[in-house]
Amino acid sequence: MKAAIINQFGNSKVFEIRDVEKPTINSDQVLIKVHAVSINPIDWKQRKGNHKYILGSPFPIILGYDVSGEVIEVGSKISKFKVGDLVFGVLNNKYGGALAEFAVGTEVCFSHKPDNLSFEDAAAVPMVTLTSLQAFRDIVDLKEGQTVLINGASGGVGHVAIQIAKLMGAKVIAVASLKSKGFVEQFKTDSFIDYTNQDILKIKQKADVFFDVAGKYSFSKTKQLLNPGGIYLNPNFINSIVKMPLNMIHQMFTKGKKAKTFMMKHNNSDLDIIANWVTNGKLVVSIDKTFRLEQISAAHEYSQNGHNKGKNVIVINNSRNNAIINEF
Ligand SMILES: NC(=O)c1ccc[n+]([C@@H]2O[C@H](COP(=O)([O-])OP(=O)(O)OC[C@H]3O[C@@H](n4cnc5c(N)ncnc54)[C@H](OP(=O)(O)O)[C@@H]3O)[C@@H](O)[C@H]2O)c1
């Protein structure tokens, strides 16, 4: 099968398009024909080798977690899916493995693709929506009427986090650059702050949750913006773990305010909730640019630049042949 592989860690040029062995499945796995993949920052962080001390260097590596496609084969223990089902989800292999014609994951990775979404749209959905849902529901226990400040509101996680916070009845202060204002405000934010013109550490508004998606601040800097009992939440897991000891010292002097981090969990019941929201038009995941597999280096460069509006998608099997591909 055709795949984008890396044989070394490094910059976006390390990708090679190669023919490699099609993966085989265990009894608890599903084999899918991949139609589309979306890029998340974890993909380019792993390409650079940031996680090699945890995950090792099992070259050739196929990156990519977010995927949509068609079920080709199911293991004997699989009950939720059958051959021919159209699915989307987040793969749970070490380095993912989505940037290929075929990929595998266990049942917990996938949900049925909403009929109203193309494969490209569906591939954009899973990681950012699971992250935002689990952040607000499980990590900060967001309540109706509370205020969430989202720093990095125009990116993959940010634009979805706005919508899920609103679905949970919260008020949203969105922080992004001025050029992203129109994009962000379509999701019905309560207020907007342009970080290029205003120092958000000096704003008068207070929040119950400071969701630092862009990871530009710290608990010590933002605690004065939090209401009593408020939470500074940073999804950049490894950086946040390093800062935890210092944050715990700060927490002792902040009247119940807390710093938290978390990692998205694979959960197909949560994907079902998300599929339902998307089907009913309650949640929209927006695509910025679409690339072919052969353009994977350009796609990683664009994503790593960190100023996309929504998500970037790679088309692998364009069955409907109507995806609009960006030329670079
Ligand atoms: N813990 C987990 O399980 C988990 C899951 C998913 C993602 N993450 C992490 O979450 C982070 C964000 O992911 P993402 O997919 O949202 O990334 P992304 O799509 O690349 O985010 C890009 C956005 O960041 C904004 N931005 C850049 N510089 C900024 C600044 N100085 N202040 C405020 N906003 C700024 C940009 O807005 P402008 O263009 O307007 O500047 C852009 O819209 C990454 O570190 C990722 O690894 C963690």
Side-chain angles (χ1 to χ4, degrees):
M1 68 171 184
K2 188 165 73 170
I5 63 158
I6 62 168
N7 265 315
Q8 57 180 307
F9 296 115
N11 66 25
S12 62
K13 304 284 183 244
V14 295
F15 283 108
E16 301 168 42
I17 305 297
R18 289 272 179 272
D19 260 325
V20 297
E21 292 268 307
K22 186 174 162 184
T24 54
I25 54 169
N26 299 325
S27 57
D28 63 345
Q29 287 182 314
V30 175
L31 175 71
I32 66 164
K33 179 178 182 184
V34 178
H35 281 258
V37 177
S38 79
I39 300 179
N40 292 287
I42 192 170
D43 302 324
W44 50 257
K45 290 175 189 175
Q46 292 188 339
R47 189 208 70 225
K48 288 185 350 180
N50 290 13
H51 301 161
K52 64 184 172 193
Y53 296 112
I54 305 164
L55 301 179
S57 309
F59 297 118
I61 290 170
I62 303 177
L63 298 168
Y65 292 96
D66 265 349
V67 73
S68 67
E70 179 180 346
V71 174
I72 296 297
E73 192 183 342
V74 294
S76 58
K77 293 184 185 152
I78 299 295
S79 57
K80 194 177 169 185
F81 302 103
K82 59 181 189 320
V83 171
D85 283 354
L86 308 182
V87 296
F88 74 116
V90 185
L91 300 181
N92 59 355
N93 311 298
K94 252 187 189 181
Y95 280 98
L99 287 172
E101 288 181 295
F102 297 92
V104 299
T106 60
E107 197 165 77
V108 76
C109 298
F110 302 110
S111 178
H112 291 98
K113 181 181 82 61
D115 290 340
N116 61 333
L117 291 195
S118 66
F119 284 110
E120 293 81 44
D121 290 334
V125 171
M127 188 180 288
V128 291
T129 53
L130 286 172
T131 301
S132 302
L133 171 62
Q134 293 171 2
F136 293 144
R137 183 194 60 195
D138 306 336
I139 311 299
V140 305
D141 190 19
L142 187 64
K143 299 272 190 296
E144 199 173 340
Q146 288 190 318
T147 299
V148 182
L149 184 150
I150 299 172
N151 182 44
S154 50
V157 173
H159 84 293
V160 165
I162 297 170
Q163 299 173 68
I164 294 184
K166 298 294 295 179
L167 279 169
M168 294 173 81
K171 296 189 186 74
V172 174
I173 305 168
V175 181
S177 66
L178 188 59
K179 64 180 172 40
S180 304
K181 188 171 190 278
F183 174 73
V184 163
E185 287 187 335
Q186 70 179 301
F187 303 114
K188 310 277 181 275
T189 53
D190 295 276
S191 58
F192 178 86
I193 297 171
D194 167 18
Y195 72 83
T196 61
N197 266 314
Q198 201 177 346
D199 181 354
I200 62 172
L201 299 180
K202 294 190 176 140
I203 63 170
K204 297 272 182 292
Q205 291 150 288
K206 295 260 192 270
D208 299 292
V209 179
F210 189 118
F211 191 18
D212 192 4
V213 182
K216 302 290 179 189
Y217 295 96
S218 62
F219 179 55
S220 62
K221 287 207 168 115
T222 55
K223 61 184 192 290
Q224 89 280 359
L225 297 177
L226 293 172
N227 286 324
I231 296 170
Y232 169 81
L233 182 63
N234 187 330
N236 197 324
F237 185 74
I238 293 178
N239 285 6
S240 300
I241 289 292
V242 172
K243 289 183 188 151
M244 266 307 158
L246 185 63
N247 287 338
M248 286 170 87
I249 295 169
H250 281 288
Q251 278 175 200
M252 293 194 289
F253 307 98
T254 54
K255 295 184 185 147
K257 297 177 187 178
K258 288 192 175 68
K260 293 193 177 186
T261 187
F262 69 106
M263 274 180 79
M264 182 223 89
K265 291 193 172 71
H266 292 86
N267 182 330
N268 55 12
S269 307
D270 283 353
L271 273 180
D272 291 344
I273 295 173
I274 288 156
N276 189 36
W277 280 340
V278 169
T279 302
N280 294 322
K282 293 181 175 171
L283 178 63
V284 174
V285 181
S286 189
I287 295 179
D288 186 341
K289 293 199 187 307
T290 306
F291 301 81
R292 285 192 300 271
L293 187 62
E294 290 74 14
Q295 298 170 309
I296 185 65
S297 297
H300 261 227
E301 269 164 42
Y302 183 74
S303 299
Q304 197 172 339
N305 210 16
H307 292 289
N308 40 278
K309 292 181 181 56
K311 299 278 300 171
N312 297 307
V313 170
I314 311 290
V315 176
I316 310 277
N317 280 293
N318 185 10
S319 56
R320 293 178 308 129
N321 208 29
N322 61 355
I324 299 159
I325 311 279
N326 297 98
E327 292 303 337
F328 289 86

